[in-house]
Amino acid sequence: CYSGTRRLRRGLPLEFRQAVMASKLLTAVFCAVATDALPQGGIRQALRDATLQRTTHKNAATARKTHNNAAVASERYLTQRLDHYDASLKNASFQQRYFVNSTWYKGTGPVFLCVGGEGPALDESVVSRSVHCSDATELAPQVGALIVALEHRYYGKSVPPSSERGAQRLRHLTSHQAVADIAGFHKHISDEFKLPSTTKWIAFGGSYPGMVAGFSRLRLPHLIHAAVSSSAPWHAKVDMTEYNDRVGAALANGAVGGSEQCQKIVVDGHARIKSLLESSRLQRLSLAKLFNFCNPLALENAQTRRAWAGYGVVSVPAQSNEPASTDPGQSIGALCSVLLAANASSSVDALATLSARQRGGRCVDASLSRNFEDDGSDALSWPWQTCAEFGFYQTCEVGSQCPFARGYVSVADEISICSQFGLTADVVAANVAFSNQVYGGARPQGSRILFPNGDVDPWTGLGVLRSPAPTEPVMLVVGASHHAWTHPADTIVQKSVADAKAAIQSQVKQWLAVE
């Protein structure tokens, strides 16, 4: 429902957050900036495609094209304990999917572990060529690495079957269980390939998988030799004002085609739209006509207009920015070019022009869709994790630097999804605080963990930006979006991103030389 891009939430996907605004009981889905109304059943894919890694469908398709070592990649399963910490459930288990590529492994090299997460779903390409861990797969031939990828529990094909629903079904979905899964997987692969006891494992991941990769090194240093924790928001936070603050900053970032003038049009335009929405029915009808709403009366609904303007009347692809694209829904540079060339009489008119371009001229469908309930799939897995562990609720509040209608998206709006799981705001806040207590927040005290972040990426605001220790280096990549360096090398057009990938690989080789 969102211009073809993934929302890594990163907190929650746009469609799900707007559904919360439209109904605290999660009875609706609102597609305000969409190219089309959400197709029947599409909410599940939209939810899964949400989060902490966002790329465009175009990039994902390019990354998955046939690779010369794809034929050797294989899909397999292992039996994992459902709960690694509850002895009374020692016989409860599920099948966890993993992938292997042994093309370059000759019996003595390291193991490169690509950690799975909330999306996009893994397939065989993850151990050869994909947006997930190409920084690892492209280094593997140089060091003779065995490449393995472990799908995260409760995602993709690794969802434990259960007749239970809601919190009762999802209670075994935590990052702590995921790290323990890695320990079990380590033994499984070591036995399967008869690995020498001295084999060094390097964990890779971007976004939430980047967090888990780092967590595995932090919690399992006897098993994981080092980790690359790309674009990972280690600092869990309930009210993530940083996300939209950085979306606003990206509009003025000259490294990706932004400018202060472009930023001003977006900010001023949303402020004016907010004023018009609150002024009169006549002004709301005029806005609905200007922005080509399918239903001219849609903005008479208070939740609808707050969601439309609060999440942005246009999409700003800071997280998934494609510098080489000419599509204003994929590139900040292209977006700003449309705004600056609009020759509009006002910032509102310029935003309307951009909105029409991003939607291909089709009308804005603000209709409410069907109820969404737990169907036993992975559709609610990431929303559950935000409530149970991390927060990451992206708000647009008065006093922030959000470029949209400030004051229209509050933390109360966002966190209300947790009531579906029986969790109050106080419980969610306590869960988030506990995650930081366990993992260290923005200053984890570990060793041999690399923290690369992109300065355009909205998730960088909660990343590790200052080196916590001499053996925990940080890297800030100019002009980079969400873990852009994990994408295949031949899809990278920015020198800064290519250089970042080379620096990451150099650091990994240095760590492989350390006993």
Side-chain angles (χ1 to χ4, degrees):
C1 180
Y2 173 66
S3 300
T5 66
R6 300 182 56 207
R7 294 290 296 188
L8 142 356
R9 279 103 192 2
R10 323 161 146 132
L12 294 168
L14 178 65
E15 296 85 351
F16 197 82
R17 295 198 313 262
Q18 290 177 330
V20 173
M21 293 285 290
S23 170
K24 297 300 179 64
L25 298 176
L26 304 179
T27 59
V29 178
F30 171 61
C31 301
V33 214
T35 56
D36 287 300
L38 190 68
Q40 187 74 357
I43 179 69
R44 291 173 174 77
Q45 183 64 42
L47 285 167
R48 180 169 61 247
D49 283 356
T51 114
L52 295 165
Q53 305 142 322
R54 285 344 100 158
T55 76
T56 64
H57 292 312
K58 174 184 176 182
N59 260 3
T62 301
R64 285 195 300 266
K65 69 182 182 182
T66 302
H67 192 265
N68 58 10
N69 68 317
V72 301
S74 60
E75 174 184 291
R76 310 180 188 186
Y77 289 83
L78 77 152
T79 300
Q80 284 277 20
R81 288 183 59 171
L82 184 62
D83 191 321
H84 294 281
Y85 304 102
D86 188 343
S88 69
L89 294 175
K90 64 180 180 180
N91 294 323
S93 64
F94 72 101
Q95 294 300 297
Q96 188 167 25
R97 185 167 62 154
Y98 68 99
F99 301 88
V100 174
N101 183 347
S102 59
T103 302
W104 301 286
Y105 183 67
K106 306 305 177 185
T108 59
V111 174
F112 286 173
L113 166 63
C114 181
V115 178
E118 82 292 3
L122 302 186
D123 59 27
E124 289 88 346
S125 70
V126 70
V127 288
S128 58
R129 172 193 170 89
S130 75
V131 299
H132 299 278
C133 294
S134 285
D135 49 343
T137 60
E138 291 164 4
L139 177 61
Q142 300 179 37
V143 298
L146 173 66
I147 308 172
V148 297
L150 181 65
E151 188 168 66
H152 197 294
R153 57 169 55 208
Y154 287 84
Y155 292 100
K157 294 184 179 179
S158 298
V159 178
S162 174
S163 60
E164 298 172 321
R165 291 294 180 262
Q168 193 65 17
R169 179 179 74 88
L170 296 167
R171 68 189 187 278
H172 301 294
L173 169 56
T174 69
S175 61
H176 310 284
Q177 297 285 0
V179 170
D181 286 342
I182 289 175
F185 183 59
H186 186 286
K187 183 179 187 308
H188 179 83
I189 291 295
S190 297
D191 291 345
E192 181 179 350
F193 286 88
K194 297 180 173 56
L195 300 181
S197 60
T198 56
T199 299
K200 293 170 180 161
W201 284 58
I202 312 293
F204 295 80
S207 195
Y208 170 59
M211 295 167 66
V212 178
F215 295 167
S216 70
R217 168 60 187 166
L218 193 68
R219 301 287 293 276
L220 307 171
H222 56 297
L223 301 179
I224 305 300
H225 184 70
V228 179
S229 184
S230 293
S231 295
W234 277 66
H235 183 184
K237 190 178 180 186
V238 174
D239 187 356
M240 189 184 177
T241 56
E242 290 85 353
Y243 190 95
N244 280 321
D245 284 357
R246 284 185 172 264
V247 169
L251 289 166
N253 191 327
V256 291
S259 66
E260 290 185 1
Q261 185 179 2
C262 176
Q263 180 192 57
K264 180 175 172 58
I265 292 172
V266 176
V267 172
D268 290 354
H270 279 87
R272 179 58 180 160
I273 286 171
K274 179 182 177 183
S275 177
L276 292 172
L277 288 173
E278 296 175 352
S279 63
S280 69
R281 184 174 189 272
L282 180 61
Q283 294 291 0
R284 290 190 290 272
L285 291 172
S286 295
L287 279 174
K289 181 178 180 180
L290 178 63
F291 281 85
N292 191 24
F293 271 71
C294 302
N295 176 4
L297 300 178
L299 294 177
E300 291 308 294
N301 179 284
Q303 286 95 354
T304 297
R305 56 179 179 260
R306 284 172 60 88
W308 176 61
Y311 291 118
V313 304
V314 294
S315 62
V316 180
Q319 183 174 305
S320 57
N321 184 56
E322 294 289 331
S325 176
T326 58
D327 185 339
Q330 297 180 357
S331 164
I332 290 174
L335 177 155
C336 287
S337 293
V338 171
L339 288 178
L340 296 178
N343 194 28
S345 58
S346 70
S347 56
V348 174
D349 290 336
L351 288 176
T353 298
L354 175 59
S355 176
R357 283 283 301 276
Q358 289 185 333
R359 291 180 292 104
R362 285 168 285 191
C363 62
V364 175
D365 188 346
S367 60
L368 300 182
S369 188
R370 59 180 176 80
N371 292 357
F372 184 77
E373 298 176 353
D374 184 5
D375 62 357
S377 72
D378 63 358
L380 283 176
S381 294
W382 183 249
W384 161 259
Q385 286 197 266
T386 67
C387 299
E389 296 191 83
F390 304 119
F392 297 150
Y393 302 117
Q394 300 153 19
T395 57
C396 188
E397 298 172 339
V398 174
S400 72
Q401 297 302 305
C402 172
F404 309 129
R406 297 169 189 169
Y408 271 9
V409 182
S410 70
V411 70
D413 296 320
E414 295 277 278
I415 207 171
S416 64
I417 65 159
C418 300
S419 63
Q420 178 168 353
F421 306 117
L423 302 180
T424 65
D426 288 343
V427 170
V428 173
N431 292 344
V432 169
F434 180 71
S435 293
N436 288 327
Q437 184 72 15
V438 170
Y439 296 123
R443 295 192 62 77
Q445 297 300 303
S447 64
R448 292 200 293 270
I449 305 175
L450 175 60
F451 303 97
N453 285 281
D455 74 343
V456 177
D457 179 17
W459 289 93
T460 293
L462 297 184
V464 178
L465 303 180
R466 291 189 297 173
S467 176
T471 55
E472 290 186 310
V474 300
M475 179 187 301
L476 187 63
V477 185
V478 175
S481 57
H482 206 49
H483 62 88
W485 47 89
T486 70
H487 295 200
D490 60 3
T491 68
I492 294 173
V493 299
Q494 294 169 285
K495 184 178 184 301
S496 60
V497 176
D499 289 346
K501 176 178 284 195
I504 290 167
Q505 294 172 337
S506 176
Q507 179 65 80
V508 169
K509 287 192 285 187
Q510 290 179 41
W511 280 337
L512 285 174
V514 175
E515 295 302 327

